[in-house]
Amino acid sequence: MAEIMVKQKIVVIGNGMVGHHFLEQLANRPERELFDVLVFCAEPRPAYDRVHLSEYFGGRTAEDLAMGKVEQYRNWGYDLRLNDSAVRVDRENKIVTSASGASEAYDHLVLATGSYPFVPPIPGHEHDKCFVYRTIEDLDKIQAAAEDGKVGVVVGGGLLGLEAANALKQLGLEAHVVEFAPGLMSVQLDEGGSKLLREKIEALGVTVHTSTATELIKEMDDGRLRMRFRGDKSLDTDLIVFSAGIRPEDSLAKSAGIELGERGGIVVDNHCRTSDKHIFAIGECALFNNFIFGLVAPGYTMARTAVSLLCGEAAEFNGADMSTKLKLLGVEVGSIGDAHGRAEGSAAITFVDEQTGVYKRMITDSAGKKLRGAVLVGDTGDYDTLLQYHLNDMDLPEHPEQLILPALDGAAPALGADALPDTATICSCHNVSKGDIVGAVQGGCCSVDEVKDCTKAATGCGGCSALLKNVVDTELAALGVEVNNDLCPHFPYTRQEIFHMVQVEQIKTFDELLHKHGSGKGCEICKPTAASIFASLWNEHIHKKPHVGLQDTNDTFMANMQKNGTYSVVPRIAGGEITPEKLIVLGQVAKKYDLYTKITGGQRIDLFGARLEELPEIWRELTDAGFETGHAYGKSLRTVKSCVGSTWCRFGVQDSVGMALAVENRYKGLRSPHKIKMAVSGCTRECAEAQSKDIGVIATENGWNLYVCGNGGMRPRHADLFATDLDDVTLIKYIDRVLMFYVRTADKLQRTSVWLENLEGGLDYLREVVIEDKLGICEELERQMGNVVGTYQCEWKTAINDPEMLKRFRQFVNTDEKDEKIVFVEERKQRRPATQEEIVKIAEPA
Amino acid sequence: MSEVAITRTEWLQVCKRSDLVANSGVCALVGDQQIALFFLPEQEPQLYAIDNWDPIANAGVIGRGLVAEIDGELTVASPLYKQHYRLTDGQCLEESDIKLASFPVAFDGDYVLIKIDQ
């Protein structure tokens, strides 16, 4: 008889980010099998990313913000109860009762109830135009109220308050921040940092009122609200969002008789256990050492501690560093350790650049040897290095001020990975130490990507990716592994370096490039790469004499070779718009040459089965009817998919077809490191699936939202929202810059998605380059794109009028016979290549 | 089959120099045999002739491949699945048991001659 194992039951109350992390960590352990797991979630959806909540108004959907998915929980074997909150804990019988009346026994209870927003008891705060900022439902309500409004006020000038102000601004409201204290973010920033942050935020159009106490909120006759401040001042507004701090959600624990702190919070020990040893509390509801940790990273550490203990391993939570780095309304802010220098014997070093709006302050001990804290506003480039000095209690260099002074040669004095102890945390999202990374490299990982896969480092917020690369490269070098980024054996350079050489030295042919910078005779890697670079920069016809031998299979005959050596033909149908007359021509050509006809995913028509020698005739007929090449064969712009937009659709808010045509006609013919696909949707319903494209454009009431670097295919990636509410001119300008920057810097055959993931600094860096022109190259990028656009030619139209180019389009150079070995059979009333078995059968006499 | 096949080996004129495409390949038909011809003006020899049939892809496409140097040897990469075939003798570099037929080839003034069993 098989022994039946009795599983223990874990009930988790709360499914926020920390609760989700607990469940995710548990799911990945072999001990997972020992437990039945049930989760109560008061909200209608599983955990989502509250840290990036304001992006909900920047175009990200609830789906985008989701961390836990219902299906994933099912796969993990968890019993997830959405929309059902736990209302009572019977500790004696170890039973949890829910609002829906469910009664569930537990062996272990995990309280991950989080926190709720504190609303100051100002008379009038219960008005229905007063909101809090915590859940997606809160945001939906704020959005609805903002529709007819002009002004929005946030009460609270802390980290979350400024996030909320950003949200109001994105809703198109005139945003105000009202703060009781004399400065913004007073917990994290000193006076100097706070002052600069205020200047920067006000420059962005947010009005800041500090040292301002609200005494009364009154509804006026027109339905708007008037806030009366102490000192007889007032402010009229359409809505108010309270973001004046959080309070631990401890009511359930309180009613169950679990010990709470004096000012709330469920008291836990260094095992995250409450006064009842069967009950854990993790995240913002837990009070450790009389402190609530209102950041996600310490909450994650608590979650991991609880999981380890449940699995029978030793683990402790001993508090956490509250250092933080973030971007508020686009302003970089960083705070490390004792930012105010409150400890005795502190000394400070301050750097202020009023010109560029940068404030940096280091707090050291009196000897200037150890870093106790730091404040960074306007530029957080030094944050990672400073944090490592602080967390690892490392001795500061002889001239510590160099850590925050701008380096004269342009390069910041990065902290050598050698200097870090093995215990140094590199990735705080996934708690990966330098020792873990070194271990992964010694265990056989040979690249940053492999280390990422193996350790999960830099796969959370990605803020540590530069440091990770540094550690990996240092360790590889120490092991004597040479990091080889050479294009191929013939060129000891990366694609980016070759692009630069070709551009600067105005190299026009492969022979010249090989002679100057390469060796040997070239191969199928460097030849097409060079051909693509020449085309991106000089845009000569790809079949011009010096280039003809460089092209890859499909470019060689400007058609897509299929498995039997015949070709498919794809004329451009920009935006998917086609006249009946042209559609008839396609049908006539397909019929005449007996071409298998299929609609593509990119709203075009693909004609299969053309013999090599038929291609010029087919294209003569197509170009006569006004068709142009569709570049389906090239590493270049393929299609711009569109929905029908405001012209026809009753939901459309912009002319998406018109924009798709403009975009497709602008970038057609642009050769790039890999193929590029785009789409334009006429409203947020997103029928053109723009978020799965390299460049995605989605119409808004006010213009266009631009998404970048998505793709479908083997490893799908949602495009990232890059910029919002752009006018037509700015939209094109940004696409020009993003594309040309990609063309310049990507590796060979690297799609935009992988390019972005490998771009140091990621999306923020791309924005800095493209929107803020950090590198000062935007004008040049636009000029280069202008050159490509200005020198466009339909490659097929040119080719069919050039006897020299047509020379290659002969099946045999010595006869007009056809290739008898190409055999077709009929299926569903069209031709298709015969299989090998069918060919054998046909050859045998019956 | 009733015909009696007579086998003889001789140099045949297959095409003109101007039919070739420099640094690339074309295809000629001799009897039933498709022959891929590569003309590399900077190399010695300048001309190469191997079977046009790609036995891995089962298609006559070798003449449309890209010329690539691999470890010092001149090859053509199959346009379909990218295996490399040595231009001098048709040996497949990836699959040691696959070798394409190769043919002696030379210029005769403006003409290209190939030596082939007929």
Side-chain angles (χ1 to χ4, degrees), chain A residues 212-438:
Chain A
T212 302
T214 312
E215 291 186 321
L216 176 69
I217 298 166
K218 205 175 116 196
E219 182 169 357
M220 296 183 296
D221 295 339
D222 60 359
R224 298 184 82 210
L225 300 177
R226 174 161 294 170
M227 301 172 75
R228 296 289 295 272
F229 302 132
R230 187 174 303 158
D232 225 24
K233 277 191 278 186
S234 69
L235 177 62
D236 292 350
T237 180
D238 295 291
L239 63 92
I240 297 171
V241 177
F242 287 105
S243 188
I246 54 162
R247 295 288 181 268
E249 180 53 74
D250 54 13
S251 53
L252 186 67
K254 187 178 181 184
S255 66
I258 296 169
E259 185 189 344
L260 302 185
E262 255 176 58
R263 291 193 299 166
I266 306 167
V267 174
V268 295
D269 61 11
N270 57 2
H271 288 156
C272 297
R273 286 191 211 273
T274 66
S275 56
D276 180 331
K277 68 179 168 52
H278 301 291
I279 303 179
F280 291 92
I282 56 176
E284 289 179 341
C285 65
L287 184 74
F288 176 76
N289 265 351
N290 219 9
F291 193 83
I292 296 280
F293 292 86
L295 290 179
V296 71
Y300 282 179
T301 309
M302 290 187 207
R304 286 192 294 266
T305 304
V307 168
S308 294
L309 291 166
L310 282 167
C311 294
E313 282 171 19
E316 278 188 13
F317 175 79
N318 287 311
D321 184 70
M322 294 297 281
S323 300
T324 185
K325 174 175 80 168
L326 68 165
K327 241 184 178 176
L328 288 167
L329 294 119
V331 182
E332 293 182 1
V333 178
S335 165
I336 293 173
D338 180 9
H340 297 272
R342 291 197 176 106
E344 208 163 300
S346 292
I349 304 169
T350 310
F351 167 80
V352 185
D353 184 342
E354 292 184 348
Q355 200 82 42
T356 55
V358 172
Y359 176 90
K360 302 180 188 179
R361 184 175 172 92
M362 292 167 67
I363 313 292
T364 67
D365 61 356
S366 55
K369 276 276 117 194
K370 302 284 185 189
L371 185 71
R372 288 180 172 171
V375 172
L376 305 168
V377 176
D379 176 6
T380 52
D382 304 323
Y383 178 88
D384 292 341
T385 300
L386 291 171
L387 184 65
Q388 293 299 336
Y389 275 106
H390 171 64
L391 291 181
N392 299 300
D393 203 28
M394 293 159 67
D395 280 342
L396 288 168
E398 196 181 341
H399 299 287
E401 68 276 9
Q402 283 178 343
L403 293 173
I404 55 170
L405 289 178
L408 289 178
D409 61 1
L415 178 63
D418 277 340
L420 292 173
D422 272 359
T423 50
T425 302
I426 304 299
C427 169
S428 49
C429 294
H430 291 282
N431 195 30
V432 184
S433 68
K434 182 189 163 192
D436 296 332
I437 293 163
V438 169

Side-chain angles (χ1 to χ4, degrees), chain A residues 553-567:
Chain A
T553 305
N554 293 341
D555 272 330
T556 311
F557 295 97
M558 299 192 294
N560 294 43
M561 187 187 276
Q562 302 300 326
K563 61 192 289 184
N564 64 346
T566 63
Y567 291 87

Side-chain angles (χ1 to χ4, degrees), chain B residues 1 6 16 41 56 69 103-104:
Chain B
M1 288 226 274
I6 303 168
K16 285 185 164 177
I56 293 171
E69 182 215 313
F103 309 92

Side-chain angles (χ1 to χ4, degrees), chain A residues 836-846:
Chain A
Q836 284 311 302
E837 293 76 34
E838 287 166 339
I839 291 172
V840 172
K841 243 186 226 167
I842 293 165
E844 278 170 7

Side-chain angles (χ1 to χ4, degrees), chain A residues 490 520-522 524 527 549 551-553 557 562 565 567 807-808 810-814 817 819 821 836, chain B residues 14 18-21 23-29 34 43 53 58 61 64 66-69 79-80 82 84:
Chain A
H490 306 107
K521 294 155 192 167
E524 80 273 22
K527 283 180 177 176
Q551 309 299 336
D552 219 338
T553 305
F557 295 97
Q562 302 300 326
Y567 291 87
K807 249 171 63 177
R808 293 205 76 189
R810 285 190 286 173
Q811 172 60 45
F812 302 115
V813 288
N814 57 340
E817 283 181 52
D819 181 352
K821 290 180 174 167
Q836 284 311 302
Chain B
V14 287
S18 60
D19 289 320
L20 302 173
V21 179
N23 297 308
S24 187
V26 295
C27 183
L29 186 67
Q34 298 185 5
Q43 307 303 324
W53 187 254
N58 283 310
V61 293
R64 304 181 215 160
L66 185 66
V67 176
E69 182 215 313
L80 277 163
K82 314 291 175 186
H84 297 91

Side-chain angles (χ1 to χ4, degrees), chain A residues 164-199:
Chain A
N166 189 27
L168 294 187
K169 201 165 155 273
Q170 284 183 323
L171 285 172
L173 297 180
E174 174 195 322
H176 293 254
V177 172
V178 173
E179 168 61 47
F180 182 76
L184 295 173
M185 281 185 77
S186 51
V187 178
Q188 292 90 355
L189 300 184
D190 66 339
E191 203 187 318
S194 177
K195 199 168 135 247
L196 178 63
L197 178 63
R198 175 186 185 140
E199 283 169 20

